[in-house]
Amino acid sequence: QVQLVESGGGLVQAGGSLRLSCAASGRTFRNSAMAWFRQAPGKERDLVAAISWSGANTYYTDSVKGRFTISRDNAKNTMYLQMNSLKPEDTAVYYCNAVYGSSYYPLFDSWGQGTQVTVSS
């Protein structure tokens, strides 16, 4: 099992930037693909971006391509999400998790507390 702690969220105006961090404990992190998910009020949790265990391969959902960048530092057991050109529709609680499979299914049933991102218009 791995513990995941998200941070870096906040309130920002449209067009602004934020950098989220996901700190992971446990050896699983370094051997696992990881991903960011987000959940807006009243909606399901959706995949935002994913990164392979080595960092060589990444995936982005269409709505964030060209604006968000996912990265990881395995030496620090930390994953990041750089979010630029933020839009009000990016407002959500952001979560991280290890993932598996070609569809990036969440590996752990237990989620962290998430970090709130609010983008004002």
Side-chain angles (χ1 to χ4, degrees), residues 8-28:
L11 173 63
V12 64
Q13 289 186 334
S17 299
L18 286 172
R19 188 194 195 204
L20 307 184
S21 297
C22 168
S25 64
R27 294 184 295 177
T28 303

Side-chain angles (χ1 to χ4, degrees), residues 62-117:
D62 286 345
S63 62
V64 308
K65 284 181 181 177
R67 300 189 298 122
F68 291 9
T69 302
I70 189 171
S71 61
R72 66 189 295 165
D73 185 338
N74 287 344
K76 296 181 178 180
N77 277 13
T78 304
M79 177 178 66
Y80 305 97
L81 186 68
Q82 177 67 44
M83 305 187 296
N84 299 328
S85 301
L86 282 162
K87 303 176 180 180
E89 51 263 43
D90 295 318
T91 295
V93 179
Y94 284 70
Y95 302 88
C96 59
N97 205 329
V99 291
Y100 69 97
S102 59
S103 296
Y104 307 107
Y105 296 109
L107 182 62
F108 301 115
D109 293 333
S110 178
W111 295 80
Q113 83 287 351
T115 186
Q116 175 71 49
V117 172

